[in-house]
Amino acid sequence: MKEIDQFDDIDHRILRALQRDASLSHAALAEQVGASPASCWRRIKALEAAGILGPAVRLVDAAKVGRGVSVMCQLRMKSHATKDRQEFEAFIQTRGEIMDCHSMSGEWDYLMRVVVADVASYERFLMRELLAHPAVAAAASHFALSQVKYTTALPI
């Protein structure tokens, strides 16, 4: 597969179009990007094989399914030993409330976005799960008042 800087204009148009609407048929996509359906299909398969395109998903409105509280949580670890970090990162993978988790540079070790139904649900999660984890030393929570921007589309 070509490197991203070697993609032609059609490759870029395909990626942009699929980020907007992954449910497009090959014919509709081909019409949007100015290529044949067969060419689009081959290009999509190549992008999938290269790991550039992942699975197609549908986005769910968190508030409409009772998960309207979004919290940015910073965590500090007690230890930075490889075993402790691996165990904590395995724990993170099991928690559905944690939508994103990033290992960070600076004062805090991790930054995560947690979605819950309400403040009481977050308090239970924080106190009974996160702060109870043996590797966690401290947490700081920041509640989102509103969502100003949300996108999953990369600028391609």
Side-chain angles (χ1 to χ4, degrees), residues 121-134:
S121 297
Y122 180 72
E123 181 184 22
R124 279 191 302 278
F125 174 67
L126 177 67
M127 303 305 271
R128 296 180 187 170
E129 303 294 337
L130 286 179
L131 292 176
H133 193 282

Side-chain angles (χ1 to χ4, degrees), residues 3-4 18 26-27 29 33 36 45 49-50 53 58 74 78 83 85 89 94 99 102 118-119 144 154:
E3 295 296 322
I4 190 73
L18 289 176
H26 288 119
L29 178 63
V33 304
S36 72
K45 289 299 173 194
L53 283 176
R58 296 297 302 255
Q74 297 169 296
K78 290 179 183 173
K83 181 179 179 282
R85 291 181 67 89
E89 290 176 8
T94 69
M99 302 304 295
H102 304 270
D118 52 36
V119 174
L154 294 172

Side-chain angles (χ1 to χ4, degrees), residues 4 6 54 60 70 113 124 143:
I4 190 73
Q6 296 175 345
V60 176
S70 187
R113 181 172 60 96
R124 279 191 302 278
F143 288 79

Side-chain angles (χ1 to χ4, degrees), residues 103-121:
S103 177
M104 303 297 290
S105 64
E107 182 180 347
W108 295 93
D109 299 310
Y110 290 94
L111 174 64
M112 59 185 70
R113 181 172 60 96
V114 180
V115 295
V116 291
D118 52 36
V119 174
S121 297

